[in-house]
Amino acid sequence: MPEISPFAAIRFNGKKFSGGLSDVLAPPYDVLSEAEKSALLSRHSRNIVAVDLPHVPPKSVGPPEAYERSGRFLHEWLEDGTLVRDPEPAIYVYHQVFAHEGRPYTRRMYIARVRITAFSEGAVLPHEKTFGGPKEDRLALMKTTRCNLSPIFGIYPDPNHTVDGALEGVVQRTPDAQGTLDGVQNLIWMVTDGSIVRRVVDAMASVKVFIADGHHRYETALKYRDEVVAAGNLPEDHPARFVMFVLASMDDPGCLILPYHRVLLQVSMDQVLEAWRPGIDVVEAVRRDLTLHEGCTGRELHLRFTSRTKLATLEPTECAAWQTLDTAYIHRYLIEELLSKRGSGSEVKIAYVKSRQEAVRTAKAEVGVAVLVRPTQMDQLRAVSESGGVMPQKSTYFHPKLATGLTIHPLY
């Protein structure tokens, strides 16, 4: 089971940002473009993105000087007091307050370090595949900064709300830090009380942690640890044996999974329907498994999957939970088997977008078809992960994204 422990974080100095941290926080590095990075830096030259995103896009390793610059910035900010290190180890209660579809939510989380273990050990489990290029970028940054700059997002089962119960008294006082990013309020409370920390650690000792977001960062931390261990003796409590996590309960009503919609580029609705005919029926909206929207005409149709058992034939080694996924049916059967092989005869180009409105706009701009999917359910994610499987790309979108810049985990 996962080993959770407090750490003395590096944080932005509240005395220098008395109005809050809004101008120095950033979204996760891997969702930002060069223009978005520039916009953040125009708000404040010491926005965390200056350190956390040295190379755009971060899909492959960049020039060495980019990472050296990040290391230099971090050192300078520590020297001049922009950043300070907390005097004692803590866990950090982290709440995000936001609205979705007109409803208010609070996602209740906390930040701690988790001992790095191989996925095969079963304490920390993935649900998505990773790719080499992004890991090379993060490893180069980790080596020059010797820090975890942005947290991994992990979720865990807690049906009895044991962890939230241990922390509920903490959030009655004024937050130690706060900032608003993209309309989401981010609140932090520092917890150094040993009895509270122990209750959280004990509660986590009997659960598994599932990576919701940050698979590349976790595997990078594993590689970094192995390289440091290989270079010499590394004590069991050395910070490089741990990685920073934001942890949220799967049972928290604020822990929302939204869908990633797909847009099939440069195809018509009729082409898609003809290719998909063996695997779908057109139905009324209440019976739909997905909705198609044609960009150039605005036509919409609701579809029902009719051949889910095909997945067992196409991918017999995948677990039963994987074969229930809408995204598995869409990608492995409808797109790969029907549209690519039997329809267009070539690989289909796909864009992934986070909202229906963006999917419709993209379908119109790219003369394509938006595939509007249902969200993956939390129990599906858990079942696939525990079975050793991984979901198709972009099967989950945890909303909202975590803020980067609230805590930094030093590896020294």
Side-chain angles (χ1 to χ4, degrees):
M1 295 297 105
E3 181 183 333
I4 311 297
S5 61
F7 67 101
I10 295 171
R11 296 192 291 141
F12 279 102
N13 186 348
K15 294 179 180 179
K16 294 205 171 192
F17 301 95
S18 57
L21 303 182
S22 300
D23 288 342
V24 292
L25 300 180
Y29 72 96
D30 55 353
V31 303
L32 294 172
S33 65
E34 187 70 67
E36 289 166 330
K37 174 182 177 179
S38 297
L40 288 166
L41 290 173
S42 69
R43 288 165 54 183
H44 201 292
S45 62
R46 297 205 166 182
N47 186 287
I48 190 62
V49 76
V51 176
D52 194 41
L53 186 56
H55 171 63
V56 184
K59 295 181 179 180
S60 61
V61 69
E65 56 268 23
Y67 304 101
E68 292 165 4
R69 183 169 58 248
S70 285
R72 187 172 66 254
F73 285 163
L74 187 63
H75 177 75
E76 290 173 355
W77 296 2
L78 284 164
E79 285 286 311
D80 68 16
T82 298
L83 295 172
V84 293
R85 188 167 185 179
D86 285 330
E88 57 184 317
I91 63 173
Y92 301 84
V93 177
Y94 176 21
H95 284 189
Q96 287 184 300
V97 181
F98 62 99
H100 175 64
E101 295 185 344
R103 284 188 59 189
Y105 289 90
T106 297
R107 187 163 66 188
R108 296 167 175 83
M109 306 166 286
Y110 69 95
I111 306 171
R113 66 179 192 174
V114 177
R115 183 175 292 277
I116 300 165
T117 57
F119 292 143
S120 60
E121 296 181 45
V124 177
L125 296 173
H127 82 272
E128 286 186 348
K129 295 179 180 178
T130 59
F131 303 92
K135 287 184 281 190
E136 293 173 2
D137 166 75
R138 290 297 99 180
L139 185 60
L141 182 62
M142 193 177 293
K143 286 179 176 179
T144 57
T145 62
R146 297 176 65 205
C147 287
N148 300 141
L149 296 166
S150 55
I152 297 161
F153 186 22
I155 53 178
Y156 59 91
D158 188 14
N160 296 321
H161 305 288
T162 305
V163 173
D164 281 346
L167 298 173
E168 62 182 354
V170 174
V171 299
Q172 302 307 311
R173 59 179 168 84
T174 302
D176 294 305
Q178 57 185 307
T180 300
L181 180 66
D182 296 333
V184 177
Q185 190 177 13
N186 298 271
L187 309 170
I188 290 286
W189 293 263
M190 185 178 179
V191 182
T192 58
D193 185 314
S195 63
I196 297 176
V197 172
R198 176 50 54 189
R199 287 175 64 189
V200 173
V201 170
D202 289 347
M204 295 297 296
S206 60
V207 303
K208 296 178 181 179
V209 169
F210 303 84
I211 296 179
D213 198 8
H215 291 78
H216 291 99
R217 275 162 276 173
Y218 189 86
E219 293 192 18
T220 300
L222 180 60
K223 183 174 178 59
Y224 180 86
R225 181 205 66 182
D226 290 346
E227 289 188 6
V228 175
V229 168
N233 293 327
L234 195 69
E236 283 300 311
D237 61 350
H238 192 281
R241 292 188 180 273
F242 296 82
V243 65
M244 181 171 61
F245 263 82
V246 167
L247 294 160
S249 167
M250 291 175 156
D251 301 287
D252 179 3
C255 197
L256 301 184
I257 301 180
L258 305 183
Y260 262 108
H261 300 297
R262 280 77 170 137
V263 181
L264 309 176
L265 308 181
Q266 304 296 316
V267 296
S268 70
M269 178 88 83
D270 289 339
Q271 287 176 303
V272 173
L273 290 174
E274 180 60 30
W276 285 4
R277 197 167 302 281
I280 56 95
D281 277 336
V282 178
V283 295
E284 297 295 325
V286 292
R287 297 183 59 240
R288 72 184 184 276
D289 289 319
L290 61 78
T291 297
L292 294 184
H293 177 99
E294 187 170 46
C296 61
T297 65
R299 180 167 57 135
E300 284 197 355
L301 291 175
H302 308 295
L303 307 183
R304 187 82 175 169
F305 303 148
T306 59
S307 303
R308 281 191 182 268
T309 56
K310 282 284 186 180
L311 288 178
T313 302
L314 293 170
E315 298 293 341
T317 63
E318 293 286 358
C319 63
W322 185 90
Q323 293 171 5
T324 70
L325 298 172
D326 287 1
T327 52
Y329 190 85
I330 291 167
H331 280 271
R332 183 62 186 90
Y333 183 46
L334 296 183
I335 293 178
E336 293 181 17
E337 195 68 20
L338 297 182
L339 186 57
S340 292
K341 292 183 180 179
R342 304 181 192 179
S344 64
S346 60
E347 184 178 354
V348 179
K349 294 182 179 179
I350 304 171
Y352 298 89
V353 295
K354 299 173 187 172
S355 70
R356 176 191 171 91
Q357 293 79 7
E358 187 181 357
V360 168
R361 286 196 299 269
T362 302
K364 183 175 183 179
E366 298 291 339
V367 193
V369 176
V371 182
L372 306 172
V373 305
R374 300 180 299 184
T376 298
Q377 300 302 303
M378 191 71 78
D379 60 351
Q380 290 180 301
L381 182 153
R382 182 175 181 178
V384 171
S385 297
E386 290 184 327
S387 298
V390 290
M391 297 182 180
Q393 183 182 9
K394 304 294 186 184
S395 289
T396 57
Y397 169 41
F398 284 86
H399 175 78
K401 291 291 187 180
L402 303 178
T404 300
L406 293 168
T407 58
I408 294 171
H409 175 225
L411 300 173
Y412 51 85

